[in-house]
Amino acid sequence: MTDPHMDAPLNEYADGTLAARDRASVEAHLAECAGCRTAVAELRALVAGAAALPKTIEPSRDLWATIETRIRQPATWNVQRFWRGALAAAAMLVLAVGIYRLFRVPRSDLRVGEGQGWAVVQADFDRASDELSRILAVERERLRPETVALLERNLAVIDTAIAQSRAALARDPASAELRRFFAAAARQKVELLRWAARVAAS
Amino acid sequence: MHSDPTDLIHRAQQGDRAAFEALYRAHAGRVYALCLRLTADAAQAEERTQDAFVRAWERLATYRGESAFSSWLYRLTVNEVLLGRRAERRREQRVVTTDDPAALERPRGADPASGSALDLERAVAALPPGAREVFVLHDVEGYRHQEIAALAGIAVGTSKAQLFRARRLLREALNR
């Protein structure tokens, strides 16, 4: 292993970009340090290997059909994207307002109307989640099967977290920690659905 | 059959989609390779390749022939990938909670001639995104630090630091 302070000079020396005044001192160091000589040899081999990598890699499927669709009907495509984006943004807003409402409920109100703030947020979250799920259902077949499988695994994990936080909140509706836990899980689900819908749509 | 690239570009600028498809066929492999190495994710690379060609179609009128069409297209591609990457960075960090999607979408289609090239491809794909982007642009694609800094919206010193970090990590990975 070389001295970390030698990292930059050795890289620049190997690249041939080191200033002339520094080159002599690096060469003097190299004459005495076998580790740095090895490092320079490895750097040069790495740079040569990188430059020799194939410049062309064919995609595993023909991408032209999608490109052609997008450039053929830019207006329609843009409008569709706009509405999908607007719906997703609306769903996020509903959720954000719900979470804000939950956190701003004073503890005294929670004690009086126990569970009321939670019910409102639950409804808001369900609405946002359903809206995004509907968008995703339309575009789902565009995703790779591996991506769908991963999406479902992630959703299952998040749904479990949401179910657990719901059950815990039912027992202790005034717990700020549980509310934060629910909010984080709910936000994550909406983010994931939104990401999947966006990937599928593109 | 090889058509004159200048004629293809001119026809595509007039709205000829068949000419643009010929340009796509000529450059898709190079654009996809660039996207794949920058993202280390086959699904994202396909998406970015499509985005790059759509953006190229939209901006064809701005291509005046001062540089080679390929240089113009590849620079536009890098811009698309890096802009998309910056916009998605935070979102991805939040969304990927239980698994690594990149593991499912490892680079495919690359058929390097030697095992060492394959090892290098894998090691590059495993780099942290910032280091990987600078390494690919500098050492694979031949961009200078000033160009990378401008494209990635980072300081020249940051570009150098990321490159040296990438090379250090790659040497460690390849020596294992």
Side-chain angles (χ1 to χ4, degrees), chain A residues 2-21:
Chain A
T2 54
D3 180 348
H5 296 297
M6 291 301 291
D7 210 24
L10 291 183
N11 271 277
E12 294 191 347
Y13 179 78
D15 284 341
T17 56
L18 195 63
R21 64 179 181 280

Side-chain angles (χ1 to χ4, degrees), chain A residues 71-83:
Chain A
I71 65 175
R72 191 185 286 276
Q73 296 172 321
T76 309
W77 186 78
N78 285 336
V79 167
Q80 284 171 349
R81 264 176 75 110
F82 169 78
W83 279 111

Side-chain angles (χ1 to χ4, degrees), chain A residues 101-119 165-182:
Chain A
R101 213 155 42 196
L102 179 68
F103 277 100
R104 69 189 283 272
V105 174
R107 291 185 68 85
S108 57
D109 290 359
L110 279 170
R111 267 186 237 108
V112 173
E114 197 170 89
Q116 207 167 27
W118 157 238
S165 61
R166 274 178 166 153
L169 271 168
R171 291 190 297 273
D172 183 9
S175 166
E177 195 173 343
L178 289 174
R179 279 183 268 151
R180 271 196 295 275
F181 186 77
F182 167 76

Side-chain angles (χ1 to χ4, degrees), chain A residues 7 11 15 42 54-55 57 61-62 70 72 144 147 150 153-154 188 191-192 198 202, chain B residues 17 25 29-30 32 37 46-47 51 88 94-95 97-99 105 108 140 164 167-168 171:
Chain A
D7 210 24
N11 271 277
D15 284 341
E42 286 178 358
K55 291 288 179 277
I57 301 171
R61 62 188 178 93
D62 191 358
R70 286 171 62 179
R72 191 185 286 276
R144 287 165 170 267
T147 306
L150 172 62
R153 277 209 306 280
N154 275 283
Q188 211 157 35
E191 287 273 2
L192 179 57
R198 187 188 57 77
S202 62
Chain B
R17 281 192 295 274
R25 302 278 170 213
R30 181 74 197 271
Y32 178 74
R37 290 194 177 114
E46 289 182 357
E47 191 183 333
D51 290 345
E88 286 176 11
R94 285 201 303 268
V95 167
T97 54
T98 62
D99 212 337
E105 310 280 2
R108 289 184 302 195
V140 181
F164 302 160
R167 287 174 174 173
R168 189 176 64 250
R171 282 171 53 215

